[in-house]
Amino acid sequence: MSEKELIEQGKTALGLEFGSTRIKAVLTDYDGHILAMGSHEWENSLIDGIWTYPLDEIHEGLKSCYGSLREDVKSRYDLPLKKIGAMGISAMMHGYMAFDAEGKLLSPFQTWRNSNTQDAADKLTEEFDFNIPLRWTIAHLYQCVLDNEEHLKNVDFVTTLDSYIHRLLTGEKVTGIGDASGIFPIDSKTLDYDEAMVQKFDALIADKGYSWKLRDVLPRVLVAGDEAGKLTAEGVGFLDESGELEAGVPFCPPEGDAGTGMAATNAVAPRTGNVSAGTSTFAMIVLEKSLSRLYREIDMVTTPTGFPVAMAHANNGTSDLNAWVSLFAEFAKIMGNKADIGEVFTKLYEHSLTGDPDCGGLLSYGYYSGEGITHINEGRPLFVRGPESKMNLANFMRTHLYSSLGAVKMGMDILFKKENVSVDAITGHGGLFTTKGVAQRYLSAAVNAPVTVMDTASEGGPWGMALLAAYMADGKTCGSLEEFLKDRIFAGLTGSTLMADEADVDGFTAFIRRYEEGLDIERAAVNSSAF
């Protein structure tokens, strides 16, 4: 069929993902070829000390992004978007959204960026003998318990952003297992929340007298390939302001951005890994066996089918880097240069390649928020240099690019050096890799291994979500999700593989040593009354 016929007949898959700075929709055929896209720019807000997105901005962003997709379909094919074969919702993992029985939000949405849950995370980690990161949903829920939050007596549903949007559109209280693994620990044998830990949690809150137990309020866990409901008439009214879309679209399980990143990089089988680099940056390695012990720096999550995954998750990725690029773009503008912001990124990234491998002794921390891997619970972006440092533009940009991978590098060193984790392939994806051969080279230097970037790398999570929808709709004849991705989606795709040279590896090693030794500077900035 032609692309136009595929769209007319609804033989398509739609992935829609709520990222930190952009909501993006990608419409594909069942083989993963992109047919149309839409997007909506947004930004989180710091309100009363909480990183959040107000509910009206979430709703507006959903409609705007879908409307942008609908207009792209109209522009490309002169067609209304009436039929979609399958659909899936993805979003930033973790965080806390609590609703009453009428669907009213009981407390401001707390995103993954919040690190106000130290007491709860420490207590649950000790109780479960399993690392509970500060940003996990269960840490937020239990912190509310410890703080005797009044709203808990009215709780009916506790979930994440993608699961919330999924419920708006389908009425179903479910989530995919990858997303669920950032809500509460998962048992990969039962493909469900770990029952022993569920019982321990219920025992912890038993004296509070709540009318609910944990399973009563968490979303039900589904795996890739399951049908997770259908688009309702109410959902159509909420999503599509034109009213053209037909109800009844089957939905795959909603997923977190970690799961969609795995799908988008074909990193869902044991001994594969990927690094997703954007506002937050995280590395995920699909394991052959469990780690030898608990590490507070390493999250244990799962693939969309339930394989255990070790994740080194950095709350802070490219936000500070982007701010500096915007500053240079502003300078270019006042100098009379009307360069496109994308061109500014490209020129600065490429120029960084001429810098010293160790960044000339410069150092930065792009900590807009707390950073779990380095055990710093608040953020203060900063840049430092010594009197002997080589301060030039190339070293400056290279420093910020290295720093965006700094915390993740520390986490990956635990996996590779302490646990001897084996990996056959590492794939990079996300906005950081848009400029070819730059961040890819630096990531290779960080892990001292070849890194592959597919031509689809910049599409990232929304494309991965569309692939999960396509697998549910038309891919299960291939067998497992792993087989579907390997044999049907990625077999014909192109990309590039790059191995950093020895000088870059040594340079990144020197930088990360300075990064670790300089963490007291970041702590001092957090503790300073000047900020």
Side-chain angles (χ1 to χ4, degrees), residues 192-209:
D192 199 359
Y193 302 119
D194 186 290
E195 181 58 28
M197 296 184 197
V198 168
Q199 293 184 19
K200 287 180 179 179
F201 184 86
D202 285 338
L204 282 175
I205 66 170
D207 64 342
K208 296 294 184 178

Side-chain angles (χ1 to χ4, degrees), residues 478-494:
C478 297
S480 67
L481 174 66
E482 295 77 25
E483 291 169 321
F484 167 72
L485 293 176
K486 178 173 68 73
D487 298 334
R488 185 163 168 183
I489 301 299
F490 285 88
L493 290 184
T494 58

Side-chain angles (χ1 to χ4, degrees), residues 275 353 356-359 398 401-402 405-406 408-410 412-413 416-417 426 433 437-452 497-513:
V275 174
L353 294 171
D356 295 313
D358 69 345
C359 303
R398 193 166 181 135
L401 282 157
Y402 274 24
L405 299 169
V408 161
K409 159 70 171 170
M410 292 173 63
M412 287 192 290
D413 281 350
F416 295 142
K417 296 179 179 180
I426 293 180
F433 298 101
V438 181
Q440 181 182 10
R441 174 171 156 183
Y442 299 155
L443 176 59
S444 176
V447 300
N448 194 19
V451 171
T452 298
T497 300
L498 184 154
M499 177 65 206
D501 60 29
E502 185 176 352
D504 283 335
V505 173
D506 291 343
F508 205 108
T509 300
F511 172 83
I512 205 67
R513 187 182 306 117

